Structures are given as C-alpha cells and as structure tokens.
Amino acid sequence: DLFPTICKLAGAMIPDDRVYDGYDLSAPLFGNGKSPRDEMFFYRGQQLYAVRKGPFKAHFKTKPAYGSEELKEHDPPLLYHLGHDPGEHYNINNKHPEVIEELKKLVEKQKAGVKPVKDQLADRIKEASSNQ
C-alpha cells in the first residue's frame, strides 16, 4: 500500500507493466474517505500465516517471534473478531465455521494468484555472512 499511496501523493503515475496488490490509502490517511482494502494477507517470507476480511482475522500459522523456530499450524485456524477483540485474545473459531470456510476460500484464491519470487534479502544476508 505504501507504493501506490506515495505515488498518489507525489503526483506520479504507477507503471502499468505489472500487477500491484497495493491500494492508494491517501483518503483514509487524511480523513477524506474509507480504505479501499477489505482483505489483508499476512506473510512471513513466502508463507501465508493469516488473512483478514472485514472484522475477522484467521491465523493458519503462528510463530511467537521472528527468529523463533516454534511454528504452529492451526486446523481449524484461530479466528478473532478484531472489532470486539483487537488484541486477539479470544479464539472464536468454534462459533463461526462459516467465516472460517469463507476465509479458507479467500486463501486458496490468493495462493492461486501469487507467483513465488526469489528471496533477495536471504541471498544478501548469506553473501554478507560468507564475506566476513
């Protein structure tokens, strides 16, 4: 969302030679309108961990902190209503199986449309550590 928002604020045109998944958020930033985003996908590296649609957020994978190796996969995913529970303390997945199914379909659609790319940061880190 940063790229299209900054382009809009700078008066620059977004190149049309590729697909962007970001939105111009200048209107909600300045209080002139609502966010065009109703869905948000949360990744760590190339792995999808969670998805949000409206007030609901589902965690398919969780990890306590970056660098930690303790990955937990959740089936069914953990589900939170961020309007009622912004701190994500109360898992309500057993009360909303229909929301879980909707979010699972959203994840499948997302995965089908995403093309994995080379992790350039990992390569740079590896290169830097081998040069020391």
Side-chain angles (χ1 to χ4, degrees), residues 17-115:
D17 63 339
R18 65 198 79 187
V19 176
Y20 297 96
D21 65 351
Y23 292 92
D24 169 18
L25 297 178
S26 57
L29 236 142
F30 293 105
N32 301 325
K34 291 181 64 177
S35 172
R37 182 176 291 287
D38 185 49
E39 303 165 352
M40 185 171 280
F41 299 91
F42 299 86
Y43 284 85
R44 281 193 178 183
Q46 294 186 4
Q47 291 189 53
L48 180 69
Y49 274 60
V51 63
R52 177 179 179 176
K53 180 169 175 60
F56 290 101
K57 183 176 179 187
H59 289 264
F60 294 87
K61 298 177 185 182
T62 56
K63 211 172 190 181
Y66 279 97
S68 169
E69 297 301 319
E70 187 184 337
L71 173 68
K72 292 183 182 177
E73 295 196 32
H74 305 283
D75 188 18
L78 306 175
L79 183 68
Y80 303 98
H81 188 295
L82 300 181
H84 301 151
D85 179 22
E88 300 179 15
H89 297 292
Y90 305 100
N91 177 20
I92 56 171
N93 64 4
N94 60 341
K95 295 179 182 178
H96 297 283
E98 74 288 354
V99 174
I100 295 288
E101 287 309 309
E102 179 183 356
L103 295 176
K104 282 183 176 181
K105 288 177 184 172
L106 199 57
V107 165
E108 290 309 311
K109 182 179 175 187
Q110 169 74 1
K111 286 182 178 179
V114 172
K115 297 177 186 170

